[in-house]
Amino acid sequence: LRLNGTVTQSDVASDFSVLAPVEIQLGHGKTLTHWVRTADGPVTFSVALAQAPVKVQLDPNFSVLRK
């Protein structure tokens, strides 16, 4: 099983890039964090999982994506 996603940034300079956390909740209290480096265009990512995720959130604690 693979989780595939795309992260697109906006309203920033074209040379702006950060590591953004993608939190993957797997159930039974298990959480996996996958880090995605943003870029000027859309960035795709893929994570191999042993089971289907319960919930997926980009930067759930607003540690990067805060205005």
Side-chain angles (χ1 to χ4, degrees):
L1 175 66
R2 294 200 75 77
L3 169 69
N4 300 306
T6 303
V7 176
T8 304
Q9 63 184 17
S10 61
D11 300 326
V12 294
S14 62
D15 63 346
F16 181 79
S17 178
V18 296
L19 277 173
V22 177
E23 184 179 275
I24 305 164
Q25 294 179 11
L26 300 172
H28 303 291
K30 293 182 183 178
T31 301
L32 174 83
T33 301
H34 181 78
W35 293 87
V36 178
R37 170 68 65 187
T38 65
D40 186 32
V43 175
T44 59
F45 65 92
S46 183
V47 181
L49 300 173
Q51 65 189 63
V54 174
K55 187 175 186 179
V56 178
Q57 287 184 281
L58 177 64
D59 193 22
N61 298 317
F62 301 105
S63 59
V64 176
L65 306 174
R66 182 179 296 179
K67 280 191 168 185

